[in-house]
Amino acid sequence: MELDRALREIHREVTPHLGEGRVATYIPALARVDPRRFGMAVATIDGETHVVGEANASFSIQSISKVFTLTLALQQVGSRLWSRVGREPSGTPFNSLVQLEYERGVPRNPFINAGALVVTDVLLFCWGREEALGHILGLIREVAADGHVAVDPEVARSEKASGHRNVALANLIHSFGRFRSDVDEILDLYFHQCAIAMGCAQLARSALFLAAGGRDPGSGRRVISRRRARRINSLMLTCGHYDASGDFAFRVGLPGKSGVGGGILAVAPGRLAAAVWSPALNPQGSSLVGTLALEKLAAKTGLSVF
Amino acid sequence: MELDRALREIHREVTPHLGEGRVATYIPALARVDPRRFGMAVATIDGETHVVGEANASFSIQSISKVFTLTLALQQVGSRLWSRVGREPSGTPFNSLVQLEYERGVPRNPFINAGALVVTDVLLFCWGREEALGHILGLIREVAADGHVAVDPEVARSEKASGHRNVALANLIHSFGRFRSDVDEILDLYFHQCAIAMGCAQLARSALFLAAGGRDPGSGRRVISRRRARRINSLMLTCGHYDASGDFAFRVGLPGKSGVGGGILAVAPGRLAAAVWSPALNPQGSSLVGTLALEKLAAKTGLSVF
Amino acid sequence: MELDRALREIHREVTPHLGEGRVATYIPALARVDPRRFGMAVATIDGETHVVGEANASFSIQSISKVFTLTLALQQVGSRLWSRVGREPSGTPFNSLVQLEYERGVPRNPFINAGALVVTDVLLFCWGREEALGHILGLIREVAADGHVAVDPEVARSEKASGHRNVALANLIHSFGRFRSDVDEILDLYFHQCAIAMGCAQLARSALFLAAGGRDPGSGRRVISRRRARRINSLMLTCGHYDASGDFAFRVGLPGKSGVGGGILAVAPGRLAAAVWSPALNPQGSSLVGTLALEKLAAKTGLSVF
Amino acid sequence: MELDRALREIHREVTPHLGEGRVATYIPALARVDPRRFGMAVATIDGETHVVGEANASFSIQSISKVFTLTLALQQVGSRLWSRVGREPSGTPFNSLVQLEYERGVPRNPFINAGALVVTDVLLFCWGREEALGHILGLIREVAADGHVAVDPEVARSEKASGHRNVALANLIHSFGRFRSDVDEILDLYFHQCAIAMGCAQLARSALFLAAGGRDPGSGRRVISRRRARRINSLMLTCGHYDASGDFAFRVGLPGKSGVGGGILAVAPGRLAAAVWSPALNPQGSSLVGTLALEKLAAKTGLSVF
C-alpha cells in the first residue's frame, strides 16, 4: 500500500484508542502531557517524508536517545564497548536491579537504563560533560537535518529530581567498580540526553542512516559502518522495548526503540525509518497507540523483516 | 557470493576450530559423538540445495524440534496458545526454574524447555500420545520431503533416564495447575520429539516453509499462514538460542534455533533456509562451530535481516 | 502462671478465632478436616502432662516429622550432614525452588522441604526404605512413649498423588547430583514420614528430649548429645516456620516447628515441650490459632528464651 | 566456669587464629586497622565487668549501632515500625538489593542495611538530623555509662565517600516512596551512626538493658519494656549476622549483632552481655576470631539460650 494512504488509514484506525493506557507519572514534567495526542512520520531512504497528525510537535525522546549514544560510543571505542555491557535481552522489567546485581554490575544490553548509563560513562570519559552533550546533540542535529533539536531544561530538572531508581542503578554499578567517571556527572549527562526533544518528522529522518547501511542517505556521509548499523538494528529488535521486546518483534517485526515520553522509532532496513508519538503507555512502558500504529504500518506495507 | 563457493570457504575456515567447545554430556547417548564432525546445507526457496561436509549424517535435532511442535500447536489452537506461554526472551540460562516460579508456571516463550513442555501438552491434549508423535513426525517428513525421518530410540531412553531437570520443570508447571495431560506422558512425548534424528540437508529443506511465507515451496502446500510464519521467525530471532539469542541476532542476523545435539537451523526470509551441525557446544549450549559457520554465511552473502 | 490454668485461659481466648485462616488444600486428605478443631498439650521435664481440648485426637504431623528425621540423621552421620544441607534461614516461601537453583542443589536448612529431602536421602542410604521408615517410627514411638504412632496410609497416598512441587524439588536436587538414593524412593519415604499421625499429648511428650539436653527424661536414655539437642533447638528457632520463622521467634520466643496439618511443636529448654493443633493455617502455612495459642502460653508463663 | 578464667582461656585459644580472615576494605579508614588486634569484655547484670586483651581500645561499631537505633525507634513509634520493616531473616548477603526490589522497598528486618536505613528515617523524621544524632549518642552514652562515646569523623567521611551500595539501597527504597525524610540526610545520619567508636568494655555494659529485661541494671532506669527487650533479642538471634545468622545461632546460641569493624555484641538474657573485637572478618562479614571467642564463651559457661 502507498505510504500516504497507509498513514491516513492508521490515523483513522488508532483514533478510537487515543487516551488508552497511562502517561508516565514518575517524571512530573511528562505527566502533564495530554494523553490523546498523536503524530507519525515515515522517511524513506530515497528522500521522501510522509506525515500524519502532529508530526512536528516536539516531545521528550527519553530512551530513544540511547540509539544515538550507542552509535557515538561505537564510533569512539568500537567493540571494546562489549566488555562493559552485554547484548542479551534482559527478561525483567526495564529498570530492575536484580539482574544487575547477579551479574555484578555488567548490564545486559545498552538499551536498558543500566546499560545506557555505562554508555554515557564512555562518552563522558572520552569528552567531558559539556563536550559529550555537544556531540550527542551534534549527531542528532546532523542526522535529523535540523539544527534546532535541543534539551528541554525543565524535563532535565524534573528527571533529576525524581530519578531515584536511576540514582540507585548508577550507584550499584559504581559499587562494582564499573565506572570511570563521577557518578553524579554520569547521571547529570544521562538526564540531559533523555530530555532531548524533537518531533516525529525529525526523528524518522534521524534514523535513516540505520535503514541505509550506516550512511546518511541525505548527506551521503557515513555515520557508522554497515556491520555496526546492522548490529544496532539487531539490538533494537531483541532489546529495544524493555520487557516487551519479544512482543514488539512478534507483532511489528521491525527493529525499534521506545521511550517513556511516548515516542517509538522503527527501522525497516533498506527501506525507511518511522517515528510515532502518543503519550499514553502500555504496562511495559511503551506507547500503547504508537505500538498499535507501527503494527498496522507493518501489516499494511509488508515491511516486517521476517 | 555464490552459495557453493561460500559453503566451501566456510568449511575451510571453520576446520581449525572443529573440536573447540564441549559436547553435551548430560545425555549419555549424545556424549559419545565425535566433537570434530561437521556438516552444513542450504536450501533455497527456488529449489536448489547446496551442501558441504557430512550434510547427510543423521544427528539428534533436540530443541530444534520445538520449531515444528510450535508450528503444529499454532495450527491446532491458534493464538489461544499465547495465554499459556509468553513471547519474551527469558534472560536466564535455558533450563532455569527461577523465572518460571516468579511467573507462576507460565513459561516465557515456547523455545525454552518449560515453554516447549506446554506446547507438547497442547499436542498431547489434542491427539493423545501415539497420534501426537505421529503428527510431529508427519509434519517433519512432509516439509523435509523425506519419509525416513525417525526417533532415535536409544537417545529417547537416554533423555528419559537423565532428564531430571525437565522432570523438575514439568512438575513445577504442573504444581501451578497449568497442564491438561498427565505429566509423565508429557515428558515421554517431549523426550521422544527431542530424540528425532535427521541430517542437515533434510533439516534445511524442512524449514523452507518459514523462508517462504508459510507455504512449502516444493509441494506448494500452505503449512501455516504468512503472518504466523513471520511470527515463528521473530520468536526464533528473539528466543531461539536460550541465553545467547541476542548474541546470535547480533552476529548472524537471522532467525535461528539451536539444539544441544549440535545442530542449528537458520532462516533467511524470502531467500533460503540453512542447517549446520557440529557437536561441540559453546558455554550457552549452542554449537560453537555451527554458530561460527552461520556468522560467516551471513557475512559472505549479506543475508542478515538487518 | 500455673500451667493448667494457663491452658484453660488459652483455650477460652482462642475459641473465637477457631476457623480463621485456611486449611491446606493441596493435599486432598487434609482438606477435609474441620478447621475449627483445637487441641493442646504441655509435657514438663519432671513428668507432668497438661492438656486442653482435643489433645488426644490424631492429626497428620507433616513437616514436624523433620525434627525427628534430622535427629536420626545426626545420630547416623553427625556433622558430615552439614556438607549437604545448610543452617541458614531461607528467606523465601517454604517450597521455593529459586534459592535451591542459585545454590546449586544445596538446600538452605533441614527444615525446608528441599533440606528434608536431603535428610531423607541420608536415612534411605543408611538403611533402605523399609528399615528407614522403621527407624523413624521407632524413634517417635520411643520418645512419645506410645507404640501406636503410625503412618496414615490415605494421607501418604494423597501426598504422593498431589506432591508435584516436591517431585520438582527432588528432581532439581538430583539434577545437581546431590542424591545417593533413587529419587522415587526418596519421595516415597518422604511422603510416608510426613503422613505420620499422632495427638498433641504424644507429640509434646516426644520432644521432651530436646527440652532436657538430649536425654529423654522419662526413660533416662540419651537420644542425642546435649550439644546437638541445643543445635536442633537453634535450627527450629531460626528456620522452623518457613518464611515466618522470624515472626514466630519475635512473638513466641521459643524454638518450634510447624506442619501444614495444623500442628506446631515448641520447646522451652530446661522446662517443657508443648504441642498444639488447629488445622486452619495463616498465609505462611502455619496453624493460625496454634501460633496464637503458643504466643499466649509464652506470655502467660514467661517461657521465652529471650 | 568462672568468667575471668573463661576469658583468659579464650584469649589463649584464639591467639593462634588472630589475623585469619580479612579486614573490611571497602571503607578505607577501616582497612588500615591491624587485623591481629583482639579485645573482649563481659558485663553481668549484677554489676561485674570482666575483660581480656584490648578491652578498652576504641573501634568502629558499624552495624552494632543498629541495635541502639532500633531501640530508639521502638521507644518513639512502637509497633507502628513493623509496617515499614519486616522481622524475617533475609536469606541473602547483607547488602543485597534483590529482595528489596521483590518486596517493593520494605526491607526484611531492621538489621540489614536497608532496614536500618528505614529505622534511621524514622529517627530523622522525629527529631531532625542534629537532634537525632544527639539522641543516638545520648542513649549509648547512658547505657554504656560513659559520656565520651563519640563519632569518629574520619570514618564517617570515609563511609560517605565509599558507600555506593548504601546510596543505591537508599535510592531504591526512596523510589518505592518509603521514606519521609530527605535521602541525602538519611544517608548522612546513617554514616555517622555507623562511625560511632567505643571499646568492648563500654559496649558490653551498654547492652545490659537487653540482658535485664529492658531495665538498665546500673541506673535502674527502664530503657524499654520487657516485651520489647525480648523482641530485640529475638531479632538479633534470627537476623543479627546477615547471611550467617543461622550459623551464629547454631554455634553460639545467643542473640548477637556483628559489625564490619570487627565487633560483635552478644546477650545472655538474665545473665550478662558480652562484647568482642577483632578486625579480620569471615566471608559473611562478621569477625572471624570474635565469632570463635563467643562460641567458646558459650561452650565454657553453658550460656546458650537453647
Side-chain angles (χ1 to χ4, degrees):
Chain A
M1 191 187 291
E2 181 256 331
L3 280 165
D4 271 319
R5 193 176 135 211
L7 290 183
R8 281 195 309 272
E9 280 189 19
I10 291 168
H11 193 186
R12 194 171 60 240
E13 290 166 17
V14 303
T15 296
H17 298 283
L18 289 174
E20 289 177 16
R22 299 177 62 120
V23 170
T25 52
Y26 69 96
I27 303 173
L30 297 182
R32 289 193 299 269
V33 180
D34 177 355
R36 299 178 46 81
R37 300 183 72 177
F38 173 81
M40 191 169 186
V42 172
T44 67
I45 60 173
D46 34 81
E48 291 171 26
T49 302
H50 306 265
V51 298
V52 75
E54 301 184 70
N56 291 302
S58 195
F59 62 90
S60 187
I61 65 169
Q62 295 290 318
S63 290
I64 302 172
S65 65
K66 292 167 186 168
V67 176
F68 303 106
T69 54
L70 174 63
T71 301
L72 282 171
L74 287 171
Q75 284 177 351
Q76 290 306 110
V77 302
S79 28
R80 278 177 294 148
L81 181 66
W82 307 119
S83 64
R84 299 186 56 196
V85 61
R87 299 182 300 227
E88 291 301 323
S90 63
T92 47
F94 69 102
N95 41 14
S96 169
L97 292 100
V98 173
Q99 208 146 19
L100 193 56
E101 174 150 21
Y102 279 118
E103 299 181 348
R104 303 194 61 73
V106 177
R108 289 234 117 194
N109 66 65
F111 289 153
I112 54 173
N113 290 8
L117 285 162
V118 168
V119 169
T120 299
D121 176 49
V122 167
L123 303 185
L124 197 56
F125 188 77
C126 289
W127 288 315
R129 196 266 186 206
E130 286 314 309
E131 210 182 327
L133 187 56
H135 279 285
I136 297 168
L137 281 167
L139 172 65
I140 297 180
R141 286 169 179 164
E142 180 199 335
V143 291
D146 183 332
H148 300 292
V149 174
V151 171
D152 179 329
E154 195 199 337
V155 172
R157 265 194 308 276
S158 192
E159 306 249 11
K160 196 163 191 165
S162 57
H164 307 297
R165 275 193 91 91
N166 285 319
V167 178
L169 277 172
N171 277 280
L172 181 59
I173 296 170
H174 193 33
S175 76
F176 289 109
R178 304 286 182 192
F179 282 145
R180 298 183 180 182
S181 318
D182 177 75
V183 184
D184 290 334
E185 284 203 13
I186 294 168
L187 283 162
D188 180 71
L189 179 54
Y190 179 77
F191 290 140
H192 276 79
Q193 81 194 38
C194 288
I196 290 172
M198 58 203 290
C200 286
Q202 295 162 302
L203 187 58
R205 173 68 180 78
S206 73
L208 273 182
F209 74 96
L210 292 172
R215 193 186 295 273
D216 183 89
S219 68
R221 194 179 82 90
R222 173 155 300 285
V223 178
I224 203 158
S225 73
R226 171 176 293 273
R227 193 156 156 261
R228 292 224 162 100
R230 280 184 169 159
R231 293 182 162 187
I232 294 171
N233 288 340
S234 90
L235 282 163
M236 284 200 283
L237 193 105
T238 54
C239 317
H241 306 269
Y242 315 123
D243 200 33
S245 298
D247 197 60
F248 190 88
F250 185 89
R251 291 168 61 192
V252 179
L254 295 176
K257 182 76 204 79
S258 62
V260 293
I264 311 179
L265 180 67
V267 172
R271 305 278 300 277
L272 54 79
V276 61
W277 172 59
S278 189
L281 309 179
N282 63 24
Q284 287 81 35
S286 298
S287 172
L288 189 150
V289 162
T291 305
L292 189 62
L294 288 169
E295 189 178 357
K296 287 175 182 294
L297 180 69
K300 286 174 198 295
T301 58
L303 280 172
S304 162
V305 301
F306 303 115
Chain B
M1 190 188 292
E2 181 257 331
L3 280 165
D4 271 318
R5 193 176 135 212
L7 290 183
R8 283 195 309 270
E9 280 189 19
I10 291 167
H11 194 186
R12 194 172 58 239
E13 290 166 18
V14 303
T15 296
H17 298 284
L18 289 174
E20 291 176 16
R22 300 176 61 119
V23 169
T25 53
Y26 70 96
I27 303 173
L30 297 182
R32 291 193 300 269
V33 180
D34 178 356
R36 299 179 45 80
R37 300 183 71 178
F38 173 81
M40 191 168 187
V42 171
T44 67
I45 60 174
D46 34 80
E48 291 171 25
T49 303
H50 307 264
V51 299
V52 75
E54 300 183 73
N56 291 300
S58 195
F59 62 90
S60 188
I61 64 169
Q62 295 292 318
S63 289
I64 302 172
S65 64
K66 292 167 184 167
V67 175
F68 304 106
T69 54
L70 173 62
T71 301
L72 281 171
L74 286 172
Q75 284 177 351
Q76 290 305 111
V77 302
S79 26
R80 278 177 294 147
L81 181 67
W82 307 119
S83 63
R84 298 186 57 197
V85 60
R87 299 183 299 227
E88 291 301 323
S90 65
T92 46
F94 69 103
N95 42 14
S96 169
L97 292 99
V98 173
Q99 208 146 18
L100 193 55
E101 175 151 20
Y102 279 119
E103 299 180 347
R104 303 193 62 73
V106 178
R108 289 234 118 195
N109 66 65
F111 289 153
I112 53 174
N113 290 8
L117 286 162
V118 168
V119 169
T120 300
D121 176 48
V122 168
L123 303 185
L124 196 55
F125 188 76
C126 289
W127 287 315
R129 197 262 185 210
E130 286 314 309
E131 211 183 325
L133 187 56
H135 278 286
I136 297 169
L137 282 168
L139 172 65
I140 298 181
R141 285 168 179 166
E142 180 200 334
V143 290
D146 183 332
H148 301 292
V149 175
V151 171
D152 179 328
E154 195 199 337
V155 173
R157 265 194 307 275
S158 192
E159 306 248 12
K160 197 164 190 164
S162 57
H164 306 296
R165 274 194 91 91
N166 286 319
V167 178
L169 277 172
N171 278 280
L172 181 59
I173 296 169
H174 193 33
S175 75
F176 289 109
R178 304 285 181 192
F179 282 145
R180 298 182 180 182
S181 318
D182 177 75
V183 183
D184 290 334
E185 285 203 12
I186 294 169
L187 283 162
D188 180 71
L189 179 54
Y190 179 77
F191 290 140
H192 276 80
Q193 80 191 38
C194 288
I196 290 172
M198 59 202 290
C200 287
Q202 294 162 301
L203 188 58
R205 174 69 181 77
S206 73
L208 273 183
F209 74 96
L210 292 171
R215 194 185 295 273
D216 183 272
S219 68
R221 193 180 83 90
R222 174 155 299 285
V223 179
I224 203 158
S225 72
R226 172 176 293 274
R227 194 156 155 261
R228 290 224 163 99
R230 279 184 170 159
R231 291 182 163 188
I232 294 171
N233 288 340
S234 90
L235 282 164
M236 285 200 283
L237 193 106
T238 54
C239 317
H241 306 268
Y242 315 122
D243 200 33
S245 299
D247 197 59
F248 190 89
F250 185 90
R251 291 168 60 192
V252 179
L254 295 177
K257 183 74 203 80
S258 62
V260 292
I264 311 178
L265 180 66
V267 172
R271 306 278 302 275
L272 54 78
V276 61
W277 172 58
S278 190
L281 308 179
N282 63 25
Q284 287 80 35
S286 298
S287 172
L288 189 150
V289 162
T291 305
L292 189 62
L294 288 170
E295 189 179 357
K296 288 176 181 292
L297 179 69
K300 287 174 199 295
T301 58
L303 280 172
S304 162
V305 300
F306 304 115
Chain C
M1 190 188 292
E2 182 257 330
L3 280 164
D4 271 319
R5 194 177 134 210
L7 290 183
R8 281 194 309 273
E9 280 188 18
I10 291 167
H11 194 185
R12 196 172 57 239
E13 291 165 17
V14 303
T15 295
H17 298 284
L18 290 174
E20 291 177 14
R22 299 176 61 119
V23 170
T25 52
Y26 70 96
I27 304 173
L30 296 183
R32 290 194 299 268
V33 180
D34 177 356
R36 299 180 45 81
R37 300 184 71 178
F38 173 80
M40 191 168 186
V42 171
T44 68
I45 59 173
D46 35 80
E48 291 171 25
T49 302
H50 306 264
V51 299
V52 75
E54 301 184 71
N56 291 302
S58 195
F59 62 90
S60 188
I61 64 170
Q62 294 292 317
S63 289
I64 302 173
S65 64
K66 293 168 184 167
V67 176
F68 303 106
T69 55
L70 174 62
T71 301
L72 281 170
L74 287 171
Q75 284 177 353
Q76 290 305 112
V77 302
S79 28
R80 276 177 295 147
L81 181 66
W82 307 120
S83 64
R84 298 187 55 198
V85 61
R87 298 181 300 226
E88 292 300 324
S90 64
T92 45
F94 68 103
N95 42 14
S96 168
L97 292 100
V98 173
Q99 207 146 20
L100 193 56
E101 175 151 20
Y102 279 119
E103 299 180 349
R104 302 194 62 73
V106 177
R108 289 233 118 195
N109 67 65
F111 290 153
I112 52 173
N113 289 9
L117 285 162
V118 168
V119 169
T120 299
D121 176 49
V122 168
L123 303 185
L124 196 56
F125 188 76
C126 288
W127 288 316
R129 196 265 187 208
E130 286 313 309
E131 210 182 325
L133 186 56
H135 278 285
I136 297 168
L137 282 167
L139 172 65
I140 298 180
R141 286 168 178 163
E142 180 199 334
V143 292
D146 183 332
H148 300 292
V149 174
V151 171
D152 179 329
E154 195 199 337
V155 173
R157 265 193 308 274
S158 193
E159 307 249 12
K160 197 163 190 165
S162 57
H164 308 297
R165 273 194 92 90
N166 285 318
V167 178
L169 277 172
N171 277 280
L172 180 59
I173 297 170
H174 193 34
S175 76
F176 289 110
R178 305 285 182 193
F179 282 145
R180 298 182 180 183
S181 317
D182 177 76
V183 183
D184 290 334
E185 285 204 13
I186 294 169
L187 283 162
D188 180 71
L189 179 54
Y190 178 77
F191 290 140
H192 276 80
Q193 79 192 38
C194 288
I196 290 171
M198 58 200 293
C200 286
Q202 295 162 301
L203 188 57
R205 173 70 180 76
S206 72
L208 274 182
F209 74 96
L210 291 171
R215 194 185 294 274
D216 183 273
S219 68
R221 193 178 84 90
R222 172 155 300 284
V223 178
I224 204 158
S225 73
R226 171 177 294 273
R227 192 156 157 263
R228 291 223 164 100
R230 280 184 169 158
R231 292 181 162 189
I232 294 170
N233 288 340
S234 89
L235 283 164
M236 285 201 282
L237 194 106
T238 53
C239 317
H241 306 269
Y242 316 121
D243 200 32
S245 299
D247 197 59
F248 190 89
F250 185 89
R251 291 168 60 192
V252 179
L254 295 177
K257 183 75 203 77
S258 62
V260 293
I264 310 179
L265 181 67
V267 172
R271 305 279 299 276
L272 55 79
V276 62
W277 172 58
S278 190
L281 308 179
N282 63 24
Q284 287 80 36
S286 298
S287 172
L288 188 150
V289 163
T291 305
L292 189 63
L294 288 170
E295 188 179 357
K296 288 176 181 293
L297 180 69
K300 287 175 198 292
T301 58
L303 280 172
S304 161
V305 301
F306 303 116
Chain D
M1 188 188 292
E2 181 258 331
L3 280 165
D4 271 320
R5 194 176 135 211
L7 289 183
R8 282 195 309 271
E9 280 188 19
I10 291 167
H11 193 186
R12 194 171 59 238
E13 291 166 16
V14 303
T15 296
H17 298 283
L18 289 173
E20 290 177 16
R22 299 177 61 119
V23 169
T25 52
Y26 69 96
I27 304 173
L30 297 183
R32 291 194 299 269
V33 180
D34 178 355
R36 299 179 45 81
R37 300 183 72 177
F38 174 79
M40 192 168 187
V42 172
T44 67
I45 60 173
D46 34 79
E48 291 171 26
T49 303
H50 306 265
V51 299
V52 75
E54 301 184 72
N56 291 302
S58 196
F59 62 90
S60 188
I61 65 170
Q62 295 292 318
S63 289
I64 303 173
S65 65
K66 292 167 185 167
V67 175
F68 303 107
T69 54
L70 173 62
T71 301
L72 281 171
L74 287 172
Q75 284 177 351
Q76 291 304 110
V77 302
S79 26
R80 277 176 294 148
L81 181 66
W82 307 118
S83 64
R84 299 187 56 198
V85 60
R87 299 182 300 226
E88 291 301 323
S90 64
T92 47
F94 68 103
N95 41 13
S96 168
L97 291 100
V98 173
Q99 208 146 19
L100 193 57
E101 175 151 19
Y102 279 118
E103 299 181 347
R104 303 193 62 73
V106 177
R108 289 235 118 195
N109 67 66
F111 289 154
I112 53 173
N113 290 9
L117 285 162
V118 168
V119 169
T120 299
D121 176 49
V122 168
L123 303 186
L124 196 55
F125 188 76
C126 289
W127 287 316
R129 197 265 185 206
E130 285 314 310
E131 210 182 326
L133 187 57
H135 278 286
I136 297 169
L137 281 168
L139 172 65
I140 298 181
R141 286 169 179 164
E142 179 199 335
V143 291
D146 183 331
H148 300 293
V149 174
V151 171
D152 179 329
E154 195 199 337
V155 172
R157 264 195 307 276
S158 193
E159 306 249 11
K160 196 162 191 166
S162 56
H164 307 296
R165 274 193 91 89
N166 286 319
V167 178
L169 278 171
N171 277 280
L172 181 58
I173 297 170
H174 193 33
S175 75
F176 289 109
R178 305 286 182 192
F179 282 145
R180 297 182 182 184
S181 317
D182 177 76
V183 183
D184 290 334
E185 284 203 13
I186 293 169
L187 283 162
D188 180 71
L189 179 53
Y190 179 76
F191 290 139
H192 276 80
Q193 80 192 37
C194 288
I196 290 171
M198 58 202 291
C200 285
Q202 295 161 301
L203 188 57
R205 173 69 180 77
S206 73
L208 273 182
F209 74 96
L210 291 172
R215 194 186 294 274
D216 183 274
S219 68
R221 194 179 82 91
R222 173 155 300 283
V223 178
I224 203 158
S225 73
R226 171 177 293 273
R227 193 156 157 261
R228 292 223 163 98
R230 279 184 170 159
R231 292 182 162 188
I232 294 171
N233 288 340
S234 90
L235 282 164
M236 284 201 282
L237 193 105
T238 54
C239 316
H241 306 268
Y242 316 123
D243 200 32
S245 298
D247 197 59
F248 190 89
F250 185 90
R251 291 168 60 191
V252 178
L254 294 176
K257 182 76 204 77
S258 62
V260 292
I264 311 179
L265 180 66
V267 172
R271 304 280 299 276
L272 54 80
V276 62
W277 172 59
S278 190
L281 308 180
N282 63 24
Q284 286 80 36
S286 298
S287 172
L288 188 150
V289 163
T291 305
L292 190 62
L294 288 170
E295 189 179 358
K296 288 176 181 293
L297 180 69
K300 287 175 198 295
T301 58
L303 280 173
S304 161
V305 300
F306 303 116

